[in-house]
Amino acid sequence: MSDDRTFVIIGASQAGGWVAQTLRNEGFEGKVILIGEEPYLPYERPPLSKAALLGEVTVDSTYFWQQEALDEANIEVRLNTRVTAIDRDAKEIEIEGGDRIAYDKLAITTGARVRKLPIEGADLPGVFYLRTMEDTLAIRAAVKDGATAMIVGGGWIGLECAATLTKLGCKSIVVEAADRLCGRAVTPEISDWMYKFHTEHGVDVRLSTGIEKFEGNGQLERVVLPGGDTIDCSIAVVGIGVIPNVELAQDAGLEIDNGIVVDECARTSDPDIVAAGDVTNHPNDLLGRRIRLESYENAQNQGITAGKAMLDKAEPYSEIPWFWSDQFDANLQMIGLPQDWDETATRGDEASNEFVTFYLKDGIIDGAISVNNPRDLRVGKRLMQGKKQVTAAELVDPETKMQALLKR
Ligand SMILES: Cc1cc2nc3c(=O)[nH]c(=O)nc-3n(C[C@H](O)[C@H](O)[C@H](O)COP(=O)(O)OP(=O)(O)OC[C@H]3O[C@@H](n4cnc5c(N)ncnc54)[C@H](O)[C@@H]3O)c2cc1C
């Protein structure tokens, strides 16, 4: 049966790519147009601060789908194309240059962009941000063995970058304005572990330290710290967070609140428009609150939910948030967004960099962070999902079989 509808997706990255694929997987036979401003097919961002920055993978190996697969699925991909407006009354979008494309249903998967550092010298060559493949290729081209790399921001991106640049032979210095690393995402104990771990791997971590300005004659040469001290460096990578790309949705009058407000099925306040990925503020039933996530798994699974919602096959999306990070030889994984736990339990050995810290609230796991122990974390996720009653003593006891706790 032929279908003459056109479904348009703005943002050709992970969430957008999954919306498009889901439409086809679910049997949609109309036109699917996936529009992205970047020059690449939808690609994975996690390698940008890891294997791709190390130069271990090629650009096209980061693509979720090669061009043939997109052709086979009859998905029309328009790259290097920026959408400038959404006209909800006419049900059209406008692209740079003025052309308009009509839609029957629209998905907004515009993700997020880096927060810029508003200080003098931030536009000098040698000062980088890290969000796109172009950023990674530019940093990689600028890295020289033995160079000093200043990393501004001790969050996930900053720490991954510090690890990778150290592996590439740089002397990495991380300056973090707060008094601990990754403060928005992890507990003080894990911040302490991160500090020790990075320091042991040769990273110079400076907490409670901001920077005043970048200096150099046509090229970054040094940073100036607030008291006037300077540090010579030839590269700086700024990782101080991202801003959701909500402007198109906002200008079109959709509801915005730290992201595009969607329901559990990724539907916006307009019945013909869905949104997914880093750009959304969505309800999470399991956590009992609304959240905006910057995570790989969310971009994929909410993208799938959004695709189904476009076909009126809406299925509520609610998962325990899961995130991972690779830094040196440590694989960190995190479940939940623990907020007001009353007890913690560390299983394994922090000193040997193999442990899981669980956060418990009223005897139920509210979240966990693992270092080189994904197995126990996975079971922890199932315990959390099933709201199983456990004690801290059981979790820390190496004799306890985690699987056995699931049988309760
Ligand atoms: C360096 C790095 C490392 C990461 N590592 C991890 C990790 O280890 N684990 C993890 O879980 N997550 C990680 N993430 C996060 C994960 O990659 C993101 O959550 C995911 O990419 C979000 O996908 P998205 O499709 O929602 O948004 P994005 O990936 O931001 O894609 C949005 C796309 O929309 C395009 N766009 C925006 N506006 C317009 C417009 N007006 N017109 C056309 N196109 C537009 C953008 O250019 C972009 O291509 C990492 C992210 C980065 C940057």
Side-chain angles (χ1 to χ4, degrees):
M1 201 177 79
S2 75
D3 189 326
D4 58 6
R5 291 178 297 168
T6 299
F7 286 7
V8 173
I9 303 152
I10 310 173
S13 182
Q14 186 174 2
W18 277 105
V19 172
Q21 289 292 352
T22 302
L23 292 172
R24 291 301 184 223
N25 293 345
E26 293 292 320
F28 178 62
E29 291 181 352
K31 201 166 182 177
V32 177
I33 308 177
L34 177 59
I35 304 174
E37 65 187 342
E38 293 191 70
Y40 304 104
L41 293 177
Y43 61 88
E44 306 203 38
R45 285 182 210 276
L48 297 183
S49 46
K50 310 175 185 85
L53 188 54
L54 275 173
E56 286 177 348
V57 295
T58 58
V59 172
D60 48 345
S61 71
T62 66
Y63 293 165
F64 286 99
W65 304 276
Q66 299 299 325
Q67 185 65 57
E68 305 77 67
L70 291 159
D71 289 345
E72 207 172 301
N74 194 18
I75 294 167
E76 181 181 332
V77 186
R78 299 199 191 175
L79 302 176
N80 297 302
T81 305
R82 179 165 179 79
V83 176
T84 51
I86 300 169
D87 180 342
R88 286 166 58 200
D89 294 332
K91 291 183 73 172
E92 288 177 349
I93 58 157
E94 188 170 304
I95 57 179
E96 215 158 43
D99 284 354
R100 292 169 80 94
I101 301 170
Y103 66 82
D104 291 285
K105 296 266 182 191
L106 181 69
I108 306 176
T109 53
T110 44
R113 62 181 178 278
V114 292
R115 190 182 293 282
K116 295 279 174 94
L117 194 60
I119 61 169
E120 198 181 323
D123 53 354
L124 276 171
V127 180
F128 300 97
Y129 293 85
L130 181 42
R131 180 75 195 177
T132 65
M133 180 60 79
E134 302 281 84
D135 294 334
T136 293
L137 297 175
I139 297 170
R140 176 128 185 91
V143 166
K144 291 193 180 59
D145 196 12
T148 296
M150 180 64 61
I151 288 112
V152 183
W156 295 116
I157 301 291
L159 293 176
E160 289 189 353
C161 210
T164 303
L165 293 179
T166 304
K167 282 190 191 171
L168 286 170
C170 293
K171 174 174 171 31
S172 300
I173 304 175
V174 175
V175 289
E176 165 56 52
D179 60 0
R180 63 186 184 93
L181 293 173
C182 238
R184 274 196 314 134
V186 306
T187 59
E189 295 73 25
I190 300 292
S191 294
D192 290 348
W193 176 85
M194 286 173 158
Y195 179 88
K196 189 163 166 280
F197 179 74
H198 276 268
T199 306
E200 282 169 1
H201 282 79
V203 180
D204 177 352
V205 182
R206 304 187 186 193
L207 300 175
S208 306
T209 307
I211 61 167
E212 190 85 14
K213 56 181 170 177
F214 296 104
E215 280 185 349
N217 189 6
Q219 163 70 36
L220 176 68
E221 290 170 14
R222 72 194 73 84
V223 299
V224 181
L225 301 178
D229 285 352
T230 60
I231 302 173
D232 289 347
C233 59
S234 56
I235 301 175
V237 183
V238 181
I240 54 167
V242 296
I243 300 169
N245 290 320
V246 297
E247 289 76 4
L248 278 178
Q250 191 160 27
D251 294 347
L254 295 179
E255 196 187 338
I256 308 292
D257 177 12
N258 178 30
I260 303 174
V261 173
V262 295
D263 69 7
E264 67 285 1
C265 297
R267 296 173 294 212
T268 69
S269 45
D270 181 321
D272 294 318
I273 306 181
V274 296
D278 281 16
V279 77
T280 69
N281 168 337
H282 57 277
N284 185 300
D285 236 20
L286 296 162
L287 302 183
R289 61 185 193 269
R290 299 191 71 89
I291 53 176
R292 191 178 69 74
L293 289 174
E294 291 154 21
S295 99
Y296 183 95
E297 191 179 56
N298 177 62
Q300 173 181 307
N301 294 347
Q302 202 185 25
I304 292 171
T305 300
K308 288 184 181 170
M310 290 172 97
L311 297 169
D312 298 323
K313 295 180 180 177
E315 280 171 12
Y317 161 73
S318 186
E319 289 174 7
I320 292 174
W322 172 76
F323 181 85
W324 88 95
S325 172
D326 293 309
Q327 300 168 25
F328 294 109
D329 54 355
N331 168 259
L332 288 91
Q333 297 195 21
M334 202 171 130
I335 53 165
L337 299 170
Q339 265 189 339
D340 37 29
W341 62 91
D342 46 43
E343 226 178 343
T344 64
T346 296
R347 182 178 173 83
D349 181 18
E350 276 194 32
S352 60
N353 302 329
E354 195 175 325
F355 63 95
V356 188
T357 298
F358 294 98
Y359 301 88
L360 300 173
K361 192 174 177 197
D362 301 327
I364 290 170
I365 295 174
D366 189 38
I369 299 179
S370 73
V371 173
N372 292 327
N373 188 351
R375 245 176 55 181
D376 284 347
L377 187 95
R378 265 197 301 276
V379 183
K381 188 173 180 188
R382 290 170 63 197
L383 289 168
M384 182 173 169
Q385 194 115 33
K387 294 192 184 336
K388 302 281 184 185
Q389 200 78 34
V390 290
T391 66
E394 286 170 328
L395 291 170
V396 299
D397 185 352
E399 298 299 317
T400 303
K401 298 262 179 296
M402 292 287 291
Q403 293 281 351
L405 299 175
L406 282 169
K407 301 206 175 94
R408 302 202 159 151

